[in-house]
Amino acid sequence: MSEPTGLAGEAEKLDAADRLAAVRGRFVLDDVTYLDGNSLGALPAHVPARVEDVVRRQWGELRIRSWEESGWWTAPERIGDRIAPLVGAAAGQVVVGDSTSVNVFKALVAAVRMAQADGGDGGGGPVRDEILVDATTFPTDGYIAESAARMTGCGLRPVAPAEVPKVLADRGERTAAVLLNHVDYRTGRLHDLPALTAAVHVAGAYAVWDLCHSAGALPVGLDEHGVDLAVGCTYKYLNGGPGSPAYLYVRRDLQPRFDSPLPGWNSHAEPFGMRSDYAPGSGAVRGRVGTPDILSLLALEAALDVWDEDGVSVAAVRAKSLALTDFFLRCVAAYVPDGRVESVTPAAHAERGSQVALRCDDAGEVMKRLVERGVVGDYRAPDVLRFGFTPLYVGFADVERAARVLARTLAG
Amino acid sequence: MSEPTGLAGEAEKLDAADRLAAVRGRFVLDDVTYLDGNSLGALPAHVPARVEDVVRRQWGELRIRSWEESGWWTAPERIGDRIAPLVGAAAGQVVVGDSTSVNVFKALVAAVRMAQADGGDGGGGPVRDEILVDATTFPTDGYIAESAARMTGCGLRPVAPAEVPKVLADRGERTAAVLLNHVDYRTGRLHDLPALTAAVHVAGAYAVWDLCHSAGALPVGLDEHGVDLAVGCTYKYLNGGPGSPAYLYVRRDLQPRFDSPLPGWNSHAEPFGMRSDYAPGSGAVRGRVGTPDILSLLALEAALDVWDEDGVSVAAVRAKSLALTDFFLRCVAAYVPDGRVESVTPAAHAERGSQVALRCDDAGEVMKRLVERGVVGDYRAPDVLRFGFTPLYVGFADVERAARVLARTLAG
């Protein structure tokens, strides 16, 4: 075990040189080392006052008038446009609302419908009746994909992301849609979105990406890489608050063909026309369903203000994220006895998200003791300690402390 | 036109005798006559402090620990159990989350699946492949029913609620599910839930009720009348706040057969087991989908405290509601020149919800002027002035004033 003061001293220097260090002051934090922002982002300090205004003035005083006067009605698209640059999308393609699970359902069913309509355009090939789903996906995507497959008459094939190109080469003519996670929730592995999207397109299928563990932590480049559809949550690296609504990206040129399985009145071309016939609106609004959840939406909108701070950008966040995870891996290697933990997060930057996952015996019990000692990560069954690094408010001293406390905890 | 002072004096006496009058003090109100609680309920005065605690302490200080320590994880069922008595349901059958539209989808698809499974049990009759939907429904229910029909291979037949028994007698053997509104959003007509549910059951189909415009305003009696599935919003007579989450009722004996089209991880038997195979949980939890929207859920939970006040009950609310709407119709008859408006809300108490809808030329323009004069109702295309009466905070003087201002407005 090397001398802690060495790494602690290095942490101090890294924090002093960190151009994002000042942003930490925008969040409510205490002496806990919070490495669970990949589960629930910390509270931006200005959000409570904004929520109070929404409740007391917009709801309490303006009441129904707020649907227009406080911009409630257009919030799903307006806030979508705030998220868009963070995932590399031009305006008009992201809409906020519903949970990630519900958005996965919308996106996958719509993708299958587009793929099957393409075939019907005289392609002459076999019917596209298979959905490929990331075999290591966060479970809800798999459950929802199974339902989408069942309800569209498709089969569902779980495939490891690395195997997707091979499976597509073998049987891609049957593939309608491919649902992948940008970053694996358990291991923190970053999948190759540009290459996988290109492989899906070569096969003539549609790529649906789940950005829950990447948006706000690293560049996504939805437009640049020609992604078809994407979904993500907003309560991790976007700090939107517990259960804040998810978002749906539909690439602009696909919007006229986006045929939602949940065509609620909010997606109608004329929602207050109260027409019995459904006619979808134009643009991202097609992804809306029912009445938007205003308190949570507007808390999220406030939280996104942090991204307007000087020096805050996805590029800056990514650079710091890699420095933080690199430093954590170094500290763990230095402090923790050999063989006690094993990183399942890739060492290569190109394959790493913004978390480090350590396989460990008794991981559940170890995490419990870490939390008692003020280092908050989380446990993912069956054997992973998960530490998330939100560059907006995690510093290098946090990283060094977490590794130090982990070593002490593992030592008994 | 009779002497205003007569009715104004009567209003004063009615307010003095009103046992719910004191509850008005629990809400944030001003000198506006707010008759739009059937669109967005007023703010209960204690809600802002509760929301502030959720934001500042539960999210800001406890962060991820709140999923357990602040009861976030179990909120959908816990708050469902608070709504249950208001709709005549025993505990364990209502779960809160998602929008009404999304819940209509869950309920209808699940109903069709149950109906088709019944047929497969050796019934020997024709396949049940038709959904009946209220022809005068709030549009979203119709749009979603069309999607549910399409995705389950059913036909969709719009039927006026009064015609449902006849249609079921004619072709009920083909009917899988019937989606009806308890109270018509436009006319305020209260449909006969017990008789219609019984007719649906005689046909061997499943009854799905939309309670948006009845829950919190009148007795529903879900358990008593053997309703199969029901949905409703919480931002009207339940005062949960803008876009607060909706709820889903699944009758207890049907829960083991409830096969959700949105089987998100929150409905899993072991949500943190992170298993790739889906296994539904037991009970109302099967209606859950993704991560619940905590800010809005807990604002709703706080709002429901009003129902624990002394003297507040659905029966008391219903009695006052009928008295308010009766009085409004009398005031309108007394003040408004003959032929200028026509009530499309039934005169019979058994057929009336908690609103009065007046057909009127230039209804949109008239409502705009009413709002300018401090009487807030709403306009529903093409020709209806809609006035909702929330007995928890609307008094008889409000009613008299609204009718008086309406008469003045119509007079030019």
Side-chain angles (χ1 to χ4, degrees), chain B residues 363-395:
Chain B
E365 193 51 40
V366 170
M367 184 51 71
K368 202 178 290 177
R369 280 183 281 142
L370 278 175
V371 170
E372 284 163 11
R373 289 167 173 177
V375 173
V376 178
D378 59 24
Y379 159 67
R380 283 295 173 260
D383 60 359
V384 162
L385 300 172
R386 204 175 66 152
F387 301 95
F389 299 86
T390 300
L392 295 175
Y393 55 75
V394 171

Side-chain angles (χ1 to χ4, degrees), chain A residues 97-123:
Chain A
D98 304 307
S99 65
T100 304
S101 300
V102 169
N103 282 300
V104 168
F105 186 74
K106 293 177 207 168
L108 265 187
V109 171
V112 168
R113 288 175 174 174
M114 289 192 272
Q116 294 184 344
D118 290 341
D121 281 349

